[in-house]
Amino acid sequence: MNDTRWSPAALLLIALGLALIVAGTVPLATTGERLQYAVALTDQETQAAKVMRLSDKVGDVREQVGTAAAAVAAAGCAESVSVNAGGDSCTARLVCADEGWFDVEPVQLVSGRGFMRTELVTGANCALLDERLAFSLFGADIPEDAKVEIGTRTCSVIGTVRAKTCFGVKTQYCAWMPLRALLGEDDSGSAAAGLALDTLTIEARPAGGAGTRELFENTARSAWQAGGTSISLAKEAMRGTVILRIVALALGFAVWGRLLGRANAFAAGQIDRYRRLLRERYFPRTIPRLLAMGLTWALAYGALLAAAYGLLSLAFHPLLTFTEWVPDDFTSWSSLTKVFWNLIAEHATLVRTGTWALREVQFYAGLARWGVISLLSGIAMTAIGRR
């Protein structure tokens, strides 16, 4: 007789795995779709000219994408900058917003006001601070004429913002300022940046409809800047749950097969009892029993069909998102190998530019993967301990 040994180590691994799966899957499941296209800004000497050129071309992308996107805008990003005020200094991430950015990435104001359109267009020396950064620099009461130094710019603090904790950044403090506020002219009259940005990202909030992702990516490459990294946050979130889908499919169909066997056995028993009943009664008097049997079968097998449909949807839904996984012809070996080498080439890219939102999605995806590994390890230890 077999008995299962639930060792403390196995139970701990299973509990840890379930906790990690929940901690990773819930944020991934609630990740909204945002389309991003990021380019690296590596050469500080030519950075300002590039930023100005790309800022001027955002309107072209917005026009070509049209109604497929509810909003399109660009922003420069720096991983960590020094924000100074009255002798106090904090390291913060910096978002240099261009016109329309807060339609794509809205913020929750705590006090003061947001940027006016003219401030974003002209590059006014003003800044928004997240409330924790503002408290660290000024305390509970922010002066009306509060100013901060960011790079070579002295900016007036016009408001504070509530920023959520993000696992894709080096520091949890954040500041916002107009993108064009960073740009000026050097002694020769050429554009010069006030500080070094790490990336410039153009982002779109889709309005719905198929093909928006491909349209935005192709437009950003052709009308904005070639050589960037295209990111779909919803797609990356689904990528992080693929391993969970595989495990759910394996366990789900194992349970489904057992339930189907029990349903068949139950149906066979009902048929046997009905046959015995026919020997004792005339057929018309057995019709209620026959109808009850049919209703029971319809409910049982209907539930099994619905469960099978749900499991198959779980399997096929990623194929609708990752269309690059699907070969043109499943019967052609060359078509299958083409997909394989295309995927290899995509993941073998040496330089890939990321965003804070992408890094956060990848963090939660890592939690989910390690949760699955821990859960399966605990189950394997339990199975080995069975005798």
Side-chain angles (χ1 to χ4, degrees):
M1 180 177 178
N2 292 339
D3 64 324
T4 303
R5 291 184 176 181
W6 295 95
S7 67
L11 291 174
L12 179 61
L13 285 173
I14 292 173
L16 177 62
L18 292 175
L20 289 175
I21 289 172
V22 172
T25 305
V26 172
L28 291 177
T30 55
T31 298
E33 175 66 301
R34 296 204 309 276
L35 304 175
Q36 300 175 326
Y37 187 83
V39 295
L41 300 174
T42 54
D43 189 352
Q44 187 176 1
E45 293 182 358
T46 61
Q47 181 181 115
K50 185 174 184 178
V51 169
M52 290 184 67
R53 176 174 56 83
L54 294 181
S55 177
D56 292 336
K57 294 168 69 174
V58 172
D60 297 335
V61 177
R62 190 180 291 121
E63 181 179 353
Q64 293 185 35
V65 172
T67 58
V72 177
C77 305
E79 282 192 296
S80 59
V81 299
S82 179
V83 181
N84 307 295
D88 294 324
S89 177
C90 292
T91 300
R93 53 193 166 110
L94 179 65
V95 178
C96 299
D98 208 359
E99 180 185 358
W101 178 255
F102 294 104
D103 294 328
V104 181
E105 291 274 7
V107 295
Q108 182 182 355
L109 282 172
V110 177
S111 63
R113 63 173 178 84
F115 294 116
M116 294 186 292
R117 180 178 179 276
T118 53
E119 292 172 334
L120 294 173
V121 172
T122 61
N125 288 323
C126 53
L128 288 170
L129 307 179
D130 82 72
E131 55 184 345
R132 292 170 297 177
L133 175 58
F135 182 82
S136 297
L137 294 175
F138 301 104
D141 298 321
I142 303 176
E144 293 185 3
D145 60 345
K147 296 182 183 297
V148 293
E149 293 181 3
I150 304 176
T152 60
R153 295 288 187 267
T154 299
C155 302
S156 300
V157 179
I158 61 173
T160 59
V161 171
R162 179 162 295 136
K164 73 180 185 71
T165 300
C166 178
F167 294 102
V169 297
K170 290 183 176 181
T171 172
Q172 293 302 318
Y173 291 149
C174 188
W176 293 258
M177 63 184 298
L179 177 62
R180 292 178 180 268
L182 291 180
L183 307 178
E185 292 185 351
D186 57 20
D187 295 338
S188 64
S190 301
L195 57 82
L197 296 176
D198 297 305
T199 62
L200 187 65
T201 302
I202 187 169
E203 186 168 325
R205 189 174 290 276
T212 303
R213 185 185 301 123
E214 290 76 13
L215 173 63
F216 175 75
E217 178 180 352
N218 294 334
T219 304
R221 291 189 190 280
S222 60
W224 198 61
Q225 174 70 42
T229 300
S230 182
I231 301 164
S232 165
L233 294 183
K235 186 174 181 178
E236 294 304 319
M238 180 173 286
R239 191 191 304 275
T241 63
V242 167
I243 187 172
L244 288 170
R245 291 172 182 269
I246 294 174
V247 173
L249 281 172
L251 295 178
F253 273 113
V255 174
W256 188 87
R258 285 176 175 260
L259 292 176
L260 178 62
R262 294 197 174 190
N264 290 338
F266 178 74
Q270 282 191 318
I271 292 174
D272 186 58
R273 288 191 294 272
Y274 181 72
R275 285 174 176 172
R276 290 198 301 268
L277 184 64
L278 282 175
R279 299 191 189 102
E280 301 172 0
R281 301 179 185 180
Y282 291 111
F283 174 73
R285 297 182 61 186
T286 65
I287 290 178
R289 176 70 65 86
L290 187 62
L291 293 176
M293 287 171 51
L295 179 61
T296 303
W297 294 352
L299 292 174
Y301 286 105
L304 286 171
L305 284 174
Y309 177 80
L311 289 171
L312 290 175
S313 298
L314 199 67
F316 286 108
H317 189 55
L319 297 180
L320 302 177
T321 301
F322 297 92
T323 54
E324 63 272 20
W325 294 357
V326 184
D328 298 328
D329 184 1
F330 282 95
T331 62
S332 170
W333 177 252
S334 61
S335 181
L336 295 174
T337 56
K338 179 181 177 181
V339 169
F340 174 79
W341 287 112
N342 284 343
L343 293 176
I344 292 295
E346 178 185 351
H347 290 281
T349 304
L350 296 181
V351 179
R352 295 178 64 86
T353 306
T355 63
W356 294 324
L358 173 63
R359 298 295 179 243
E360 185 172 30
V361 168
Q362 290 174 336
F363 171 81
Y364 288 122
L367 289 183
R369 283 194 296 271
W370 280 108
V372 170
I373 292 172
S374 179
L375 175 64
L376 295 180
S377 298
I379 293 175
M381 289 179 64
T382 303
I384 292 173
R386 199 176 280 175
R387 61 181 185 183

